[in-house]
Amino acid sequence: MTAGSSGRMTREDAFAIGRLDATGQAALVARGELAPVELVEAAIIRIDALDPALNALTFRDDGAALRSAKMAEGAMAGVPWLVKDGLDYPGMPTRSGSRSRPDAAPGTTA
């Protein structure tokens, strides 16, 4: 798996990565084929392509995801995951799946 000729993640590469499970994605990082940030970039490309039709995400913070990936360590470094909006998670609004809470305060639990 490599970035396109421009050195940037291509949509084709992003979707190929997305067909891997979390263990497969982590293996790409462990083998040095991709950096943790590239896994997150691939996830962002897939979200940009699919979420307008799926409307599955209620909140995005791509910047925080990329910053976290830059500091990621360990076996699952950079493997992206989504937080359910019913969980109290730092920096993410806790809406509990309700449209009646569009201005929900960010979570504070670590």
Side-chain angles (χ1 to χ4, degrees):
M1 195 100 15
T2 60
S5 60
S6 66
R8 298 185 62 129
M9 178 73 59
T10 67
R11 182 181 162 137
E12 180 179 297
D13 285 339
F15 276 85
I17 292 165
R19 286 188 283 279
L20 299 173
D21 65 10
T23 304
Q25 290 185 29
L28 293 174
V29 173
R31 291 191 304 263
E33 294 180 39
L34 290 178
V37 168
E38 290 174 302
L39 288 182
V40 174
E41 288 171 348
I44 291 169
I45 290 169
R46 294 190 306 273
I47 290 167
D48 287 343
L50 299 172
D51 198 52
L54 298 174
N55 196 27
L57 302 180
T58 60
F59 181 79
R60 286 178 64 169
D61 191 344
D62 297 350
L66 291 165
R67 286 188 300 279
S68 292
K70 288 178 184 175
M71 299 181 299
E73 296 178 348
M76 300 304 279
V79 175
W81 50 279
L82 299 173
V83 177
K84 293 183 76 96
D85 71 350
L87 300 176
D88 187 32
Y89 190 83
M92 306 289 281
T94 307
R95 296 184 177 131
S96 300
S98 176
R99 290 184 183 152
S100 69
R101 302 185 67 191
D103 298 322
T108 57
T109 304

